[in-house]
């Protein structure tokens, strides 16, 4: 079970201690806002940040802002935007530009997180939740919720459930060595082509 978004700062602080380092509260809050409840991606970022401070000092908010790819989240939004409209060539261009700068495994984790958030958002909208309640329900800042609502409106709940199941299959294939992360992402884009 993943931690709830409000539990993530404490989870980050504890995980840093387990890994032999320390995070201050502001740093943990900032990282939590960028990674959501994705513990695998959070662990990668914690290790990177602890290595950056050489495990000598506490990780500060400024370290997180400097090193954690908050820009990657923006680019993942752009990637999912292209996917949601079936723009295969546009999505592929964004993907390969991202892969030149980012680790494929981290990027794949961000795409999974994005579709999980879209699935939650679509489900809440279908249940009649007001748009202004989505940030608290999903555990994201309001500006992120606005983008999620816009993207979720391009999919049905059934479509998002199918995509999420497909991502699970791709994740399993990656972990068993049947496919690489970058090929899995290319495969996902191709599968989302709309007529």
């Amino acid at each position: 079970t993943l931690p709830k978004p409000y539990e993530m700062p404490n989870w980050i602080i504890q995980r840093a201690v387990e890994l032999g380092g320390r995070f201050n509260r502001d740093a943990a809050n900032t990282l939590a806002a960028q990674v959501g409840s994705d513990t695998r991606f959070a662990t990668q970022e914690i290790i990177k940040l602890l290595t950056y401070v050489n495990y000598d000092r506490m990780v500060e908010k400024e370290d997180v802002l400097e090193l954690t790819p908050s820009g990657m989240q923006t680019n993942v939004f752009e990637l999912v935007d292209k996917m949601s409209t079936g723009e295969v060539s546009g999505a592929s261009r964004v993907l390969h530009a991202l892969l030149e700068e980012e680790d494929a495994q981290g990027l794949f984790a961000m795409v999974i997180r994005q579709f999980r958030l879209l699935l939650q958002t679509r489900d809440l909208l279908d249940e009649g939740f007001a748009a202004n309640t989505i940030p608290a329900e999903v555990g994201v800042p309001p500006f992120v919720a606005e983008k999620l609502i816009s993207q979720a409106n391009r999919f049905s709940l059934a479509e998002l459930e199918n995509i999420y199941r497909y991502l699970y299959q791709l994740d399993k294939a990656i972990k068993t060595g049947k496919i690489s992360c970058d090929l899995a992402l290319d495969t996902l884009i191709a599968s989302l082509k709309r007529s």
Side-chain angles (χ1 to χ4, degrees):
T1 305
L2 293 173
K4 300 276 189 283
Y6 66 85
E7 296 171 331
M8 276 302 285
N10 285 338
W11 185 93
I12 288 166
I13 289 168
Q14 182 59 42
R15 187 76 179 111
V17 170
E18 289 167 8
L19 292 166
R22 294 171 299 144
F23 262 66
N24 74 17
R25 175 63 57 180
D26 281 348
N29 288 339
T30 303
L31 183 58
Q34 293 180 356
V35 300
S37 295
D38 190 330
T39 52
R40 186 170 66 170
F41 182 52
T43 298
Q44 290 173 353
E45 292 303 307
I46 291 166
I47 292 168
K48 180 171 74 177
L49 286 156
L50 291 175
T51 302
Y52 176 70
V53 300
N54 204 25
Y55 291 80
D56 280 343
R57 65 171 174 85
M58 192 174 280
V59 173
E60 313 263 343
K61 178 180 180 178
E62 291 71 26
D63 301 320
V64 178
L65 292 172
E66 186 175 337
L67 276 138
T68 300
S70 60
M72 184 156 112
Q73 183 172 354
T74 303
N75 292 330
V76 168
F77 271 114
E78 185 184 352
L79 176 62
V80 174
D81 261 338
K82 304 275 187 210
M83 289 183 192
S84 69
T85 56
E87 291 180 57
V88 173
S89 60
S92 189
R93 265 195 311 278
V94 173
L95 169 64
H96 289 279
L98 277 167
L99 286 171
E100 285 178 18
E101 298 176 11
E102 307 293 347
D103 170 65
Q105 194 171 6
L107 181 56
F108 188 73
M110 287 291 285
V111 169
I112 289 175
R113 174 178 181 259
Q114 183 68 13
F115 277 102
R116 185 176 66 245
L117 292 172
L118 286 173
L119 183 57
Q120 291 172 323
T121 303
R122 178 75 267 165
D123 190 39
L124 290 166
L125 291 171
D126 287 356
E127 287 181 22
F129 280 75
N132 64 354
T133 65
I134 301 292
E137 292 292 330
V138 180
V140 296
F143 74 93
V144 173
E146 279 178 35
K147 292 179 180 179
L148 287 171
I149 290 166
S150 170
Q151 290 181 344
N153 281 328
R154 297 184 200 146
F155 294 97
S156 69
L157 185 60
E159 284 175 317
L160 287 168
E161 286 171 343
N162 286 336
I163 293 166
Y164 203 64
R165 271 193 289 274
Y166 188 54
L167 281 166
Y168 172 76
Q169 290 167 0
L170 288 173
D171 192 38
K172 213 160 109 177
I174 290 166
K175 287 174 179 164
T176 55
K178 293 178 182 166
I179 192 171
S180 64
C181 278
D182 49 354
L183 183 56
L185 287 161
D186 272 323
T187 305
L188 174 66
I189 288 170
S191 76
L192 293 175
K193 184 173 182 178
R194 295 185 172 190
S195 53

